């Protein structure tokens, strides 16, 4: 991984001492954790939300889909705007939008109000998340220090889903579903107050360096339409006329964006960012890996509740060992392993552990026992803690001062694309398999388990493909740093 150049000129002196850099890392990680939690904390509260607000079964999915569309479609644009107008400004503005939208979501009295609030949450989360990594790679320029910072940042994504399920279940059972959103208010306000003092006040390189309005319109419309298309696959089917038509229009918009970037005088996304084999390969690996791991983060929770009969709080507690081992590995050893063996080797080891986790789930029985059938899976989730910091470091390895926000936005965008694909493919396969088993006379528990097992098997295949791609495309470190 190559170090970036010094920080660009700032309006005020940027943080240079170690204590202030640690505070800045804490602010960014806390903000990212809050937003990552919000993506999963809502899943265990869905039944309560449906009862209180009167959502239809089809409409309930938009509590998740509205967030995904707002978040995934704006990451790339927000990352580049952060480079142009200043990453601190973008982070602060995004945190304000997200916090205000959380208040609106918690106070929602109708389905439409909650869906609108979730869309705004997605926009705010995109604005802040897109530049978080960009701030870190320009703030932590020494290799070992940067590796530790990336490990902390990656932990928020790797363990955030599991922590969100624990917290969501507890809040829903103890208080009400509204508090899964209200809890963001004190965290968001604290992050804002500290961020204004400790984050470097970069001016950005100016809108003139990338004021490509047409390109911005093409990529935002293309990503928004693409994510919308993917989340509607479960309703219409892959080969239906609406999905094929929307997919074709999405492809036209995104191809038009790439052509525009190759020919524009001031492109929104300079294509040079993909010249790095590590950056391009890491983003491709991430799409496959995140698509596969949707089956772990979501389908395991559904199996616990729908088949084994766990409640919201019990589901969260059952997922807690996964969060614990992810945190121990990502925060405790991943940076040292990356420095000693190189990010590629650590990434491969992490993916192997995850293949083992999903492989075990392909044979999970209907009457599964937690200690013997599920706890080993939770412990193998340690692969998250190895793979994500290494993958993040590789994805940001080619980022310089002028495009760190863009590289961060691209990396986060491919993560959301992988998640959307995972939702569409794995949930559709699981539902289809379960319906077939039900029509054949199987019990509901047997049918659901059969559907989940198929999704876990496909997820395992995606991880095997990610391993092969990382092995063949990513270059090994030329020299290993000594401990």
């Amino acid at each position: 991984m190559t170090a970036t150049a010094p920080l660009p000129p700032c309006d005020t002196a940027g943080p240079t001492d170690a204590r202030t850099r640690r505070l800045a890392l804490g602010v960014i990680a806390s903000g990212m954790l809050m937003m990552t939690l919000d993506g999963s904390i809502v899943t265990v509260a869905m039944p309560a939300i449906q009862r209180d607000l009167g959502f239809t079964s089809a409409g309930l999915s938009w509590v998740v889909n509205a967030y995904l569309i707002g978040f995934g479609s704006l990451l790339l644009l927000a990352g580049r705007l952060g480079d142009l107008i200043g990453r601190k400004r973008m982070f602060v503005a995004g945190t304000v939008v997200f916090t205000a939208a959380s208040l609106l979501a918690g106070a929602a009295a109708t389905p439409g109000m909650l869906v609108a609030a979730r869309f705004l949450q997605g926009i705010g989360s995109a604005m802040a998340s897109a530049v978080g990594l960009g701030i870190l790679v320009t703030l932590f320029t020494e290799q070992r220090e940067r590796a530790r910072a990336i490990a902390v940042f990656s932990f928020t994504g790797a363990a955030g889903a599991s922590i969100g399920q624990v917290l969501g279940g507890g809040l829903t059972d103890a208080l009400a579903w509204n508090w899964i959103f209200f809890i963001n208010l004190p965290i968001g306000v604290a992050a804002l107050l500290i961020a204004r003092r400790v984050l470097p006040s970069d001016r950005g390189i100016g809108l003139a360096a990338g004021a490509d309005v047409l390109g911005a319109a093409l990529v935002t419309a293309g990503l928004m339409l693409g994510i919308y298309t993917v989340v509607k696959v479960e309703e219409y089917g892959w080969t239906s006329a609406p999905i094929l038509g929307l997919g074709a229009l999405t492809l036209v918009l995104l191809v038009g964006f790439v052509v525009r970037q190759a020919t524009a005088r001031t492109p929104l996304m300079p294509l040079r960012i993909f010249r790095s084999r590590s950056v391009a390969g890491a983003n491709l690996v991430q799409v496959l890996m995140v698509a596969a791991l949707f089956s772990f983060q979501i389908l395991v929770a559904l199996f616990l509740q729908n088949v084994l009969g766990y409640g919201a709080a019990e589901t969260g507690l059952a997922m807690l060992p996964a969060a614990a081992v992810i945190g121990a590995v990502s925060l405790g050893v991943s940076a040292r392993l990356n420095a000693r063996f190189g990010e590629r080797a650590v990434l491969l080891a992490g993916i192997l552990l995850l293949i083992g986790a999903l492989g075990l789930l392909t044979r999970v029985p209907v009457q599964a026992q937690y200690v013997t059938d599920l706890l080993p899976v939770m412990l193998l989730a340690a692969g998250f803690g190895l793979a994500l910091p290494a993958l993040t470091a590789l994805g940001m390895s080619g980022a310089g001062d002028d495009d760190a926000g863009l590289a961060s936005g691209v990396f986060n965008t491919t993560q959301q694309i992988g998640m959307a694909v995972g939702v569409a493919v794995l949930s559709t396969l699981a539902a289809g398999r379960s319906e077939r088993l039900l029509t054949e006379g199987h019990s509901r528990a047997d049918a659901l388990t059969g559907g989940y097992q198929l999704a876990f098997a496909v997820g395992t295949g995606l991880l095997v493909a990610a391993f092969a791609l990382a092995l063949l495309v990513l270059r090994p470190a030329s020299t290993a740093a000594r401990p």
Side-chain angles (χ1 to χ4, degrees):
M1 183 171 62
T2 57
T4 60
L7 285 170
C10 298
D11 294 330
T12 60
T16 55
D17 63 278
R19 178 179 178 275
T20 307
R21 287 199 301 275
R22 286 196 297 270
L23 283 173
L25 172 60
V27 167
I28 295 171
S30 297
M32 294 305 101
L33 181 61
M34 176 179 68
M35 295 168 194
T36 303
L37 289 177
D38 204 76
S40 64
I41 198 172
V42 72
T43 57
V44 294
M46 297 281 268
I49 292 173
Q50 184 175 19
R51 285 194 307 270
D52 285 1
L53 297 186
F55 273 97
T56 64
S57 296
L60 186 63
S61 66
W62 284 98
V63 176
V64 174
N65 293 342
Y67 181 89
L68 282 178
I69 291 173
F71 186 40
S73 61
L74 291 172
L75 278 165
L76 191 59
L77 177 59
R80 187 54 175 163
L81 285 177
D83 290 331
L84 300 179
I85 67 173
R87 289 182 282 273
K88 176 179 178 178
R89 292 175 184 172
M90 185 60 67
F91 182 88
V92 169
T95 305
V96 169
V97 172
F98 181 86
T99 305
S102 296
L103 175 61
L104 182 64
T110 65
M113 185 177 176
L114 181 57
V115 169
R118 290 286 288 164
F119 182 71
L120 288 175
Q121 275 190 310
I123 292 174
S125 185
M127 293 167 67
S129 301
V131 296
L133 272 174
I135 294 173
L136 289 187
V137 298
T138 54
L139 194 58
F140 295 90
T141 56
E142 193 274 322
Q143 185 170 353
R144 287 181 180 271
E145 191 179 43
R146 180 187 289 183
R148 288 192 292 269
I150 286 178
V152 172
F153 185 90
S154 298
F155 165 74
T156 66
S162 298
I163 295 172
Q165 288 164 339
V166 175
L167 191 58
L171 288 172
T172 302
D173 283 353
L175 298 171
W177 64 265
N178 314 72
W179 286 91
I180 67 174
F181 301 114
F182 287 148
I183 197 173
N184 292 331
L185 302 183
I187 301 173
V189 170
L192 282 170
L193 294 175
I194 301 173
R196 292 178 63 85
R197 298 188 61 181
V198 302
L199 295 186
S201 300
D202 57 310
R203 290 194 300 266
I205 58 177
L207 286 173
D212 181 12
V213 177
L214 177 58
L218 286 170
V219 72
T220 302
L223 289 172
M224 188 172 291
L225 185 61
I227 295 171
Y228 174 81
T229 302
V230 169
V231 301
K232 296 295 283 185
V233 164
E234 189 172 358
E235 180 179 347
Y236 292 109
W238 284 101
T239 59
S240 65
I243 295 301
L244 292 176
L246 291 172
L249 182 55
T250 297
L251 186 62
V252 168
L253 289 170
L254 294 179
V255 169
F257 170 70
V258 172
V259 171
R260 172 68 180 175
Q261 300 316 289
T263 57
R265 179 176 298 178
T266 56
L268 179 72
M269 186 184 75
L271 298 181
R272 66 176 182 274
I273 194 171
F274 295 109
R275 292 175 186 167
S276 167
R277 188 167 175 171
S278 292
V279 171
N283 278 281
L284 290 174
V285 169
Q286 179 169 233
V287 171
L288 294 170
M289 196 170 81
V290 172
L293 296 179
F294 161 78
S295 62
F296 178 86
Q297 295 177 337
I298 304 299
L299 295 185
V300 169
L302 292 176
F303 174 77
L304 290 171
Q305 294 187 64
N306 295 337
V307 177
L308 300 186
Y310 284 30
E314 288 176 300
T315 299
L317 290 174
M319 302 290 287
L320 187 58
V325 295
I326 291 168
V329 172
S330 61
L331 300 178
V333 300
S334 65
R336 290 197 296 270
L337 291 176
N338 285 335
R340 177 69 180 265
F341 300 107
E343 288 88 355
R344 175 180 179 266
V346 176
L347 171 63
L348 292 171
I351 294 176
L352 281 176
L353 289 177
L354 295 173
I355 290 172
L358 289 192
L360 288 176
L361 287 171
T362 62
R363 301 177 62 84
V364 66
V366 177
Q367 301 295 332
Q369 299 298 310
Y370 181 78
V371 173
T372 56
D373 297 312
L374 294 171
L375 184 57
V377 173
M378 301 300 169
L379 298 179
L380 285 172
F384 279 98
L386 291 177
L388 286 185
L391 193 61
T392 303
L394 289 166
M396 295 298 294
S397 61
D401 290 334
D402 290 349
D403 52 20
L406 174 62
S408 177
V410 169
F411 191 75
N412 281 287
T413 298
T414 59
Q415 187 177 86
Q416 293 308 304
I417 291 172
M419 185 180 298
V421 170
V423 169
V425 174
L426 299 181
S427 62
T428 301
L429 290 173
R433 172 69 172 160
S434 295
E435 288 176 7
R436 286 193 298 273
L437 291 174
L438 281 172
T439 59
E440 293 171 5
H442 292 268
S443 68
R444 180 176 181 273
D446 285 334
L448 288 173
T449 301
Y452 296 143
Q453 287 175 337
L454 175 60
F456 295 140
V458 174
T460 303
L462 292 173
L463 285 174
V464 170
F467 181 89
L469 184 63
L471 184 66
L472 296 173
V473 174
L474 299 178
R475 297 184 185 277
S478 56
T479 58
R482 296 293 180 186

